[in-house]
Amino acid sequence: MTPNPGGEVDRCDLDEPRRLALERQLRATVRGDVMFDSANRAAYATDSSNYRQVPLGVVCPRDHGDVVSVMRACAAFGAPVVARGGGTSLAGQACNVAVVVDTSRYMTRIVRLDPDSAQAIVETGVVLDDLRRAAEEHGLTFGPDPATHAWCTIGGMVGNNSCGTHALYAGKTVDNVERLRVVTYGGETLDVGAYDERAYGAAVAGGGPLSSILGGLRELAARYGPAIRQTYPDIPRRVSGFNLDQLLPEAGFHVARALVGTESTCGIVTEATLRLTRSPGHRRVVVLGFPDIFAAADAVPALVAFPLLGLEGFDRTLVEQMHKHRLNLEHLPLLPDGDGWLLAELGDDTAERADAATTRFIEALPAGVRWRRYDDPSEQQRVWAIRESGLGATALRLDGTHNLEGWEDAAVPIDKLGSYLRAMTKIWQRYGYSGAWYGHFGQGCVHTRNNFDLRTVDGLRKYRAYVEESADLVVSLGGSLSGEHGDGQARGELLARMFGDELVDAFRQFKAIFDPLGKMNPGKVVDPYPLDTNLRFGPAHQEVESRPRFFAFRGDGGSFQRAVERCVGVGRCRRDDSGVMCPSYRVTRDERHSTRGRAKLLAEMFQGQVTPRTWRNRDVKEALDLCLSCKGCVVDCPTHVDMATYKSEFLAHHYAHRLRPRAMYALGLIPLAARVATRLPRVANAMLSAPGVSNVLKRVAGVTTARPAPTFAKMSWRRGIRAQKSGGGRRLDASVVVWPDTFTDAFRPQLGRDTVAILEAFGETVAVPDAWACCGRPLYDTGMLKLARRWLTSLLDVLDPWIASGTPVVVVEPSCLAAFRDELPALLPDDPRAEKLSRLARSLAEHLVDHPRLDEVLAPSPSGLVLPPSVPPPSYAVHPHCHARVSGAAAADVRLLERLGATVEALDAGCCGMAGSFGFRAEHEKWARKIGEDWWLPRVRRAAESSAVVVDGFSCSTQLEHLNGGPCVTTVDIVRERLADRAAADHH
């Protein structure tokens, strides 16, 4: 028992003057980034675990030489060092009171990929999926694939001995490492691999540090060989402890593999030679349904007798939690009946062999097992998405508090898996804990997150007793305390229960051979910090909120602090392969400018230890500055962090009783400016387009001169309605209202008029309110939330009659529709009209896609034929506005176009980079352009080669125009054209 449960413990005696002197030394000798400021220290204070330790500073080295310089400088000052890749460690091994060496920013080269030898040499900052994409060109892959495969780094995988779904087929990372290039504390470089007698003799004869290290390791292996052979569990997922078994003669005295899984406690790996595995080109997935998860576990030994690529499992509790958090609900019907499921993947190089293997597998299933087979890759992806919902579904409770890791990846022999789950469930019941079971059942490794109380001393005592009892259970079953996520601080002090004191002492000696001063990631694995200290959410964690909130934060118990603490550090915001999140990180590669980094800075602001507890916090302000407020994180983040809302809330407090930058007024108040400009559009356009005058106006306003201003329409939509004097703006008997948002009203009124014409063609009675009001979308980016509340209240007043009658409200502009559904009820939670309007608001596609007259109205001829048989269907590539993804409207656009007989691709091209006002601010323009040109535009242009590009958002179409990206159409344009075709057909 620790004397101070939850307290901070560290083993660094570097005072502040010496820390700053170390920073100066590093700046003088390292070419990469040296960051000892409070913002970066706050951003790197936690990984994805329960632990928090503020680093001395952070270095992002450019190459191996920089790592050598870092190690020499740190040794000169006696400063501890810890290496970090994707920062997703779950046992606390990637945070420490040390200099953090982050290789993920620059050390990202695939040095060589040799398909003939099926090997690759990579720098350790390479992201796993980047390597896999390169290898797939040759029918190869790197087999281990943890859930973070799209953003985890090879260095992190080597440090952690990562596994993943396909370790069943390809083995753990340790099984796929051939050589490592390692820098030890003090700056010595070692190139190590396996050593037969000849290689060993040559290395020892060469002298130097490697000679003495090899001698020490050989002596260690000889001394502890019998204990290693007797004690190490013979299971595929033994990740706990050091790989001393790799030093045995029968393992080939493989020093590189012995260093895998040492969690940077021995040195920093800068380059790895990896074994690649054949990647089956044809895969099949069979989903099995069982009465409960225990029956599923009992079936595993018989199933793995087949040549499976993966065998994953999850229980009913996980599915229920998915329902509560509304995660991947559309995929759940793919599951067969049951309360426990296994996902079996089979594959081969040919479809025939893959089919034959799958048929044999299904024929051998036990009687009563329900199953479904999926051959289509898109359906397989949907099935895997259910399993991959594990983190998002289990991490948070509905009130925003956390379920925590802490005992969540033990592994046991597969014939003991059912017994383990039953026994653990009984232990949960005794301790009052609950959780979902999911994980890599084919290798006996199971994950869970539980409702631990780590915030109180009594809760910590209970937690410690629980993990000690659980550890004893696993050991009694011949298992491993960690089957995937390593030991770090979470399991380091439990290792004696698994290995005994003798082998724990061998671990200590192994570390000392490489790190005699004990400065590499101290307190992790060897001589560990107590597992109930250095806690992120321990008894010392402070819950403070110094001002009333603007947003309701209903999913977080009304707490802004709890909302920012949603981030569990999983790091999906660092991925490059798909999704919107996080566009600013993609171009800066700066942790502070990831969603995770910003959330951590906000969380640290509330603690007030590393960065000040004040709304005037400059660290937080600078980190939020490049947030585009695209809301991609709301959809892409497993825990639905909403950084746009957090930024808006923070800025509202940050600028309270202070003047904002000029650009915030110029762009935030654009609805008011547009209201004035639409009265004199020619004058406004002349002023904004005249070279001399416009540039002066833009510079004064803080707006970029590199982009033309949008052109105001000759007559706004509202003014056109008033000029017609039709009374449509006050039609209370309307069947649908079309809202004249600022962007459509001032810049694209024809889009609004076409929307009305389309609805009237469907027999709708349409009202377009002509009284001015605005949802305030531009105000949120600037934190002008008091004004936003007033505008939203006025909007409710204008729409009040239709809200009362439950009339649907079609909103043309996607970002404004998102404001109706999101910001409106969040800023006015006490006005019942707000919630009701958020449900009534919809896009045109949402209103039409299930309309009873859709086929009748839009069929191009009375016969109902969509197209003559000889004419191919139209092809569209839909780029959804970021906010349309959040509001859910994007899916309806695709469905509507498909119902019109078109071939439709929903582009996964990320954020366009404009993001409303972001691209117009002078200091942001280069970043907006870079986001658009480096990521978004190439994908849009590729799609445009074979399809018409559909872009509904005003900012997206503006960005496309400014970057010369080619033509685009809107969903409204397409439907209007189809109506014209129908009219022409009727005429003839």
Side-chain angles (χ1 to χ4, degrees), residues 837-858:
L837 178 55
S838 74
R839 296 193 299 268
L840 293 171
R842 62 196 62 189
S843 69
L844 177 67
E846 288 176 312
H847 191 73
L848 295 183
V849 69
D850 294 318
H851 199 286
R853 296 191 61 198
L854 179 66
D855 294 332
E856 172 195 347
V857 174
L858 291 180

Side-chain angles (χ1 to χ4, degrees), residues 41-70:
R41 294 174 69 209
Y44 283 81
T46 57
D47 49 17
S48 195
S49 71
N50 294 330
Y51 298 98
R52 171 185 176 272
Q53 290 179 285
V54 180
L56 302 173
V58 181
V59 179
C60 294
R62 289 192 175 272
D63 52 25
H64 173 86
D66 265 0
V67 177
V68 171
S69 297
V70 170

